[in-house]
Amino acid sequence: MIWLIRRFGGLVGMVAVVAFFAINLPQTFLTLQNWLNISQQVSMLAVVAATMTVVMVMGDFDLSVGSMASLSGVVVATLFLQGWPIPAAVAAALAVGLIGGLFNGIVVSIVGILPFVATLATLTIFSGLAFLISDGRTIFGRDIPAAFGDFARGGPPIGAVEDRIIVLPNLVIVAAVVVLLIWVVLEQTSYGRRLYAIGGNSEAARLAGVAVRPLRLTAFAFTGVGSALAGLMYASRVASANPTQGDGLMLTAIAAVFLGMTLTRDGQPRVLATLAGVLVLGVLDNGLTQMRVDSYVREVLVGSIILAAVGLSALGRRGIAWR
Amino acid sequence: MTQLTLHQISRRFGAVQALGDVSLTIGSGEVHALMGENGAGKSTLIRILAGLDRPDTGRIEIDGTELALGSPTAVRQAGLRFIHQELHAVRGLSIAENMHLDHPYPLRFGLVNWRALHGAAAAALARLGLERLDPSHPMTDLGPGDQMLVRIAATLIGGGDRPPWLYVMDEPTAALTNAESERLFDVIHGLVGQGAGVLYVSHRMPEVLRLSRRVTVLRDGRKVSTRPISETGQQRIIEEMTGRDVGNLFPDRRTAGSGPIVLKAEGLSARGLRSANFEVRAGQILGVAGVAGSGRGALLRAIGGGVAITSGRVSVDGTKVGSSPSRAWRQGISYVPRERRSEGLLLGRAITENVTLPHLSALTRARLFLNKRRQRRLTEEIGRSVRLKAASVSQSCAELSGGNQQKVLFARALAGNPKVLLLDEPTRGVDIGARSEIYRLIRRLSDDGLAIVMASSDLPELIGLSDRIAVMRDGRLAETLEAEGLTEAALLARFYHLEEEEGVA
C-alpha cells in the first residue's frame, strides 16, 4: 500500500489536478483547443527542461538557461535589423547557444567550478550581453521578418471546428522533436548511459573508464543550444525580442525536472518524466488563469504545489528525518 | 588506580561470530596493546566500548560500577576518549575552535569570549608540551600528526564530565610520518605519566613492542592471550595472531603459468608510490602485501590509471598503457577497487548498468545506439560464470549482499575479456561462503591465462592464492617472495623488514 503511494502518488496527484480543473471548468478545460493552447504555452519550457534534464542526470545544474534564451532572441532580432536572412540569423543564434553551453562546460569540468556558481556567473554575463547588444530596448515591429513571426502562429491543420481550422502549432512540433531527441540521447545511446553513471557515482564511473570531464563538458552544450532554441521560439511567438524575456524559464525548468523526478521509480531525472512535469506546470497555469485566480496568488499556489509534491516524494523515499 | 573491565563480551552478525567471550582489563597508568589480523574483532570491540554497538551478551565495568551499554554519552561521562585514525578537522575554524567542537564555547555577556577560548585551548596544549602550536591559527595549517595531537589535547579541556582517564587509539599512526609518530609517542608517555591509560590498537609491531606494558591478541573474535610485554615478543605475537587453520578455503596449489609476460612495470611512481618494478606472466597471480599506507593500493591505482603516473611506465603485451582509467580499460586492464561502495558500484542502479559501464562502446549499434538485449545477455552470461545470485539483472545493486556486490564488480571486470585483472582487497567485507567462491573464481581466471595482481591485507589469502608476493614498504616494492612454503609469520616479518632468524631460535 505504502509502496503504491510512493510509486504512483505523483501520478495520482497529476490526474487529480486535471480532474479538478475539468470539474470546475466544464465548458472550456477539456477541449482540444485548450490542450493545444496549453501545449503551445509550454513548448519553450519543454525544450529548456528537456535539455536541463541532460545536465541534471549528472547531478549538475545550469542556471544560465533563462538569460541564454533572452540573449539568443536578442541576437536573432539584431541580425534581422542588419538584414540577415532568417536561416542565417537563426543558425547564428543557435551557434551563440552552443558556444555559451560549451563555455559553461569548460568552466564546470575543466576549471572545476561548482555548476551552481559557474552558471550563476554566466547567467549574469549572458544577461549583460543581451542588454549590450539590444541597448536595453525591445526589438519589434517591421524589423522582424513576417515569416519569422508567422512560424509560431502556423502549423499543419489537423481538423476544423465550426468553420475554424485547428492547426497543430509548429512550436509544439519543435518541442516534441527536441524531447524525442533528448530521449534517444539519454536512454538509447552509450553517451547518455555514461551521463547517468556520472550522476550515480562519479568516482566509480571514472575508475570504470568513463571519461568524466569531456562528457560533463559536452553535456552543457545541450542546455546551451536548447535554451537558445527556446529563446528563438519565444521571439517568434511574440514577434519581438527584449533582453529579459527568457528569464523566467530557468526556475520553472528546474522545477519541472524535479517534479518529473518524483514520478520515476528510482528518483532519477528522466526526460519523459520531465515532460510530465512541464505539462503539470502548464495545466496549473492554464487552469488557474481560466478560473481567474489572481496572478500573485497563482504564484503562491504553484510554488506550494511544487514544494508539496517534491517534499512528499522525499518523505516517501526515506521517511521524516528529525535529526 | 582505575580499572576498566570487559566481561565475556560476545557479538554475532548473522552467521559470523565477530566476538566470542572476550574479557579484558585495562588499568590507568598503562599502555595496553590490542592486536589481531583484519576481521579478528578489534573494530567490533572498539565500537562496543565506544557505545556505538551493543554486545549480545557481556558487561563492562569501571572499578566495579557497571557502564551503560550502547550509550556514547555514558561512555564519555565515564572518562573514556576515542582517537581514530581518520581526522575530521573542520576547515575554516581555528585550532582553538576545533578543540571546542564538543565543548561549550566560553561566553561573556552571551557572546563568545575569544580570550577565554584561546586560553583554554592553550592550557590544554601546554599539558601535552605543545606550546609551539598557536590556538588562533587555522587547524588546516597543521599536518595530520599535529592535528591528531590537537585532538588528543582537546580531550583535556574541562567540562562537566569526569576527566578523561582512558584513551582508546585506533591505528593512530596510520597516516603519520615517523617524526610525527615520535611526537605522538611523547604525548602518550606524558598522558600515562599523568595517570591515564591507553588502549592502543595498531598493526605496527615495533610501536607496540616499544610503547605497551601488556598485549592482548585477538583471533577470529576470540581472545588468544593477554601477556606482559616481558613475556612475549614479535614472534610469539605473530604466531598468536595468525595461527588459524585455513582449511580448504583455498584451491589447491598449482604450478604457476609460465606464459608470456603480459604486465610489466618499470620504475613506476605515482602519488603514494615511490618506486615499483615487476612483471606478471599470463596465468600468474602476483600478490601485493604490506602494512596500510605502504603503497599497496597506490600500486594498483597507478597501473589502473586511477592516479596519474609521475614517472616510469606500465606496459601490457609490450605496449605502453596510458595513464587514465578509460585508456587502461581499453588496453585490457580491468580493476576491482577496494571501496566497493564509493569507488566501485553505482549503488542505486541495476546490475546490468553496473556490469556494462566500461564496455558500453562495444555494446552499441553504429558505435552510438545501445543494444539493450545484448547488454542483458552479456550480463546474464557473465553473472552465471561468476555465480552471481540475484533476482534478475535489472535488480538494483543496493539490494545485494556484500559478496554478490563484489561479484558484480568481478563481472564488470571480466565482461571486456581483459588481459590483466587488478584486485584490491577482493574479499573485504565478504562472508566466508562467498569468499571461497571468489577464491575459486580468481584461480580459474588465472588458469584461463589472465595476469592477476591482487593487493590484500589478508595474509592467508595472499599466501593461499598468489604465486609470488610483492612486499611493499614505505611506498617501494621492496622484494618479491615465492608464496609456496611461505608462512604468515615469515611474511608479516618482511612487512617490518625484520630478519627471520630473530627470535626464532
Side-chain angles (χ1 to χ4, degrees):
Chain A
M1 182 61 198
I2 288 177
W3 175 83
L4 274 177
I5 295 174
R6 251 181 234 171
R7 182 71 190 84
F8 297 109
L11 213 56
V12 171
M14 291 187 177
V15 173
V17 166
V18 173
F20 173 80
F21 289 127
I23 293 165
N24 282 286
L25 300 162
Q27 257 87 65
T28 51
F29 187 73
L30 282 181
T31 61
L32 176 66
Q33 187 59 53
N34 191 44
W35 281 88
L36 286 175
N37 280 345
I38 292 175
S39 62
Q40 187 174 20
Q41 279 161 8
V42 301
S43 56
M44 279 81 58
L45 178 61
V47 168
V48 175
T51 52
M52 181 71 84
T53 311
V54 178
V55 292
M56 285 183 69
V57 150
M58 305 183 297
D60 291 339
F61 285 98
D62 186 346
L63 304 183
S64 70
V65 287
S67 59
M68 175 51 83
S70 306
L71 176 61
S72 100
V74 167
V75 164
V76 85
T78 309
L79 293 177
F80 288 149
L81 276 182
Q82 297 180 359
W84 286 42
I86 293 176
V90 165
L94 291 176
V96 167
L98 179 66
I99 293 165
L102 288 175
F103 182 74
N104 277 332
I106 289 168
V107 178
V108 167
S109 82
I110 309 291
V111 182
I113 303 178
L114 284 176
F116 189 88
V117 180
T119 58
L120 192 61
T122 53
L123 176 158
T124 319
I125 294 173
F126 297 157
S127 175
L129 287 175
F131 275 98
L132 270 178
I133 292 172
S134 66
D135 211 11
R137 285 194 296 262
T138 302
I139 304 162
F140 64 102
R142 274 183 299 132
D143 300 327
I144 309 289
F148 184 72
D150 288 345
F151 178 80
R153 259 162 274 137
I158 48 168
V161 176
E162 298 162 8
D163 300 342
R164 268 192 322 127
I165 292 170
I166 293 183
V167 299
L168 181 63
N170 282 330
L171 293 184
V172 175
I173 298 172
V174 171
V177 169
V178 170
V179 169
L180 181 70
L181 182 78
I182 299 293
W183 179 79
V184 170
V185 167
L186 284 182
E187 307 288 341
Q188 303 298 324
T189 68
S190 50
Y191 178 85
R193 298 327 291 173
R194 290 196 176 107
L195 296 188
Y196 274 104
I198 293 172
N201 182 341
S202 118
E203 176 63 5
R206 187 182 76 89
L207 290 174
V210 172
V212 175
R213 283 187 181 186
L215 286 170
R216 259 181 113 192
L217 197 165
T218 51
F220 277 90
F222 282 90
T223 46
V225 175
S227 45
L229 178 61
L232 293 176
M233 291 161 73
Y234 208 107
S236 163
R237 187 161 168 231
V238 296
S240 68
N242 77 58
T244 58
Q245 70 188 13
D247 290 5
L249 282 169
M250 179 259 285
L251 286 173
T252 348
I254 292 176
V257 180
F258 272 119
L259 273 180
M261 283 161 68
T262 66
L263 299 179
T264 60
R265 190 167 58 91
D266 45 7
Q268 296 295 325
R270 292 233 132 80
V271 72
L272 294 182
T274 298
L275 183 62
V278 167
L279 286 174
V280 168
L281 291 176
V283 165
L284 276 175
D285 198 51
N286 172 281
L288 291 174
T289 310
Q290 286 193 52
M291 286 175 69
R292 300 212 172 108
V293 176
D294 177 81
S295 75
Y296 300 143
V297 176
R298 215 159 67 209
E299 287 192 18
V300 172
L301 277 177
V302 170
S304 310
I305 288 170
I306 292 172
L307 210 53
V310 178
L312 284 173
S313 156
L315 290 181
R317 274 178 220 284
R318 56 153 176 68
I320 296 180
W322 289 114
R323 317 190 319 134
Chain B
M1 183 171 134
T2 316
Q3 275 204 330
L4 174 95
T5 314
L6 287 82
H7 291 284
Q8 298 181 311
I9 303 283
S10 294
R11 182 74 171 101
R12 174 179 277 281
F13 297 105
V16 181
Q17 184 83 45
L19 285 175
D21 279 342
V22 174
S23 298
L24 192 62
T25 305
I26 311 150
S28 56
E30 78 162 337
V31 177
H32 191 129
L34 183 63
M35 300 201 71
E37 295 192 298
N38 286 350
K42 294 174 309 217
S43 318
T44 313
L45 191 71
I46 292 172
R47 285 180 59 80
I48 287 173
L49 203 49
L52 298 172
D53 191 15
R54 285 166 173 278
D56 300 326
T57 59
R59 60 204 158 79
I60 303 175
E61 286 176 0
I62 295 173
D63 287 345
T65 319
E66 193 149 337
L67 180 68
L69 294 169
S71 159
T73 322
V75 169
R76 193 186 159 77
Q77 279 163 358
L80 273 64
R81 296 292 184 272
F82 293 79
I83 312 290
H84 298 285
Q85 52 178 310
E86 305 94 35
L87 300 160
H88 300 287
V90 180
R91 296 168 64 92
L93 294 191
S94 68
I95 292 176
E97 287 183 273
N98 265 285
M99 290 173 72
H100 278 83
L101 285 179
D102 51 0
H103 302 281
Y105 278 29
L107 300 179
R108 194 172 47 183
F109 312 126
L111 302 173
V112 173
N113 182 347
W114 291 102
R115 184 187 297 222
L117 180 86
H118 289 143
L125 288 167
R127 275 186 62 188
L128 297 181
L130 299 170
E131 290 89 348
R132 65 193 163 80
L133 301 179
D134 182 340
S136 61
H137 282 192
M139 182 79 160
T140 37
D141 281 2
L142 304 181
D146 283 337
Q147 288 191 15
M148 167 129 354
L149 300 182
V150 167
R151 283 255 305 275
I152 297 174
T155 65
L156 299 174
I157 287 176
D161 305 335
R162 173 181 185 162
W165 68 274
L166 181 65
Y167 292 86
V168 178
M169 301 191 182
D170 189 1
E171 302 246 16
T173 56
L176 306 192
T177 65
N178 283 341
E180 288 172 333
S181 300
E182 287 302 326
R183 289 206 290 277
L184 172 68
F185 300 154
D186 288 344
V187 165
I188 290 176
H189 284 306
L191 286 172
V192 172
Q194 292 169 26
V198 175
L199 181 64
Y200 192 86
V201 182
S202 175
H203 284 300
R204 300 192 175 177
M205 193 69 65
E207 292 174 3
V208 167
L209 296 176
R210 217 179 107 186
L211 284 175
S212 34
R213 195 160 81 189
R214 291 193 295 161
V215 181
T216 292
V217 177
L218 294 182
R219 185 173 74 221
D220 296 337
R222 310 225 159 232
K223 185 169 97 170
V224 182
S225 70
T226 298
R227 298 179 200 281
I229 201 78
S230 56
E231 289 171 26
T232 187
Q234 150 109 9
Q235 207 63 35
R236 185 161 197 177
I237 294 172
I238 291 178
E239 278 168 18
E240 288 180 344
M241 274 163 61
T242 58
R244 144 170 48 178
D245 179 20
V246 182
N248 54 2
L249 188 55
F250 300 100
D252 294 335
R253 193 162 280 287
R254 43 101 215 237
T255 44
S258 55
I261 294 172
V262 177
L263 177 69
K264 190 166 182 179
E266 292 157 283
L268 191 61
S269 71
R271 201 176 66 224
L273 177 71
R274 286 205 268 174
S275 116
N277 291 288
F278 68 90
E279 44 189 53
V280 187
R281 292 173 183 276
Q284 281 188 347
I285 302 177
L286 177 72
V288 182
V291 294
S294 61
R296 223 167 47 198
L299 175 64
L300 263 64
R301 274 197 296 277
I303 302 169
V307 294
I309 293 173
T310 46
S311 71
R313 59 178 255 154
V314 178
S315 54
V316 171
D317 287 343
T319 318
K320 186 169 193 268
V321 179
S323 187
S324 87
S326 57
R327 291 195 202 118
W329 281 93
R330 273 206 298 278
Q331 287 177 273
I333 299 180
S334 57
Y335 175 45
V336 176
R338 187 166 99 114
E339 303 292 337
R340 196 158 50 225
R341 285 160 171 265
S342 62
E343 302 172 344
L345 293 169
L346 316 175
L347 211 54
R349 305 291 171 77
I351 294 170
T352 333
E353 246 180 291
N354 274 282
V355 170
T356 56
L357 181 58
H359 318 294
L360 284 175
S361 300
L363 295 166
T364 50
R365 299 189 192 98
R367 297 195 55 77
L368 189 61
F369 296 100
L370 290 173
N371 185 336
K372 294 202 173 159
R373 196 142 43 101
R374 238 172 95 196
Q375 284 189 50
R376 284 186 70 94
R377 260 213 316 271
L378 175 75
T379 309
E380 280 162 6
E381 196 178 298
I382 302 268
R384 264 196 303 278
S385 89
V386 301
R387 300 199 190 182
L388 175 67
K389 291 181 204 76
S392 86
V393 292
S394 31
Q395 196 179 358
S396 153
C397 284
E399 296 165 5
L400 301 177
S401 71
N404 278 306
Q405 290 182 344
Q406 194 69 358
K407 287 179 189 172
V408 169
L409 291 179
F410 267 84
R412 172 194 287 175
L414 299 177
N417 285 321
K419 295 171 190 155
V420 176
L421 180 59
L422 305 175
L423 305 171
D424 198 352
E425 301 277 0
T427 59
R428 196 166 187 244
V430 169
D431 66 75
I432 207 89
R435 206 174 253 245
S436 124
E437 278 183 36
I438 287 176
Y439 291 149
R440 261 153 248 286
L441 174 66
I442 294 174
R443 172 56 61 78
R444 201 180 74 221
L445 295 169
S446 163
D447 288 340
D448 290 347
L450 216 58
I452 298 178
V453 182
M454 175 179 79
S456 175
S457 57
D458 188 310
L459 301 185
E461 174 174 298
L462 279 170
I463 295 172
L465 219 51
S466 315
D467 299 306
R468 289 174 304 142
I469 298 175
V471 178
M472 304 293 298
R473 279 198 297 265
D474 289 331
R476 295 177 195 283
L477 198 164
E479 56 186 325
T480 309
L481 313 168
E482 286 297 323
E484 177 139 37
L486 194 65
T487 63
E488 290 178 40
L491 177 56
L492 198 53
R494 300 313 303 160
F495 288 17
Y496 309 112
H497 195 31
L498 294 160
E499 294 308 318
E500 225 181 313
E501 296 80 31
E502 220 176 56
V504 174

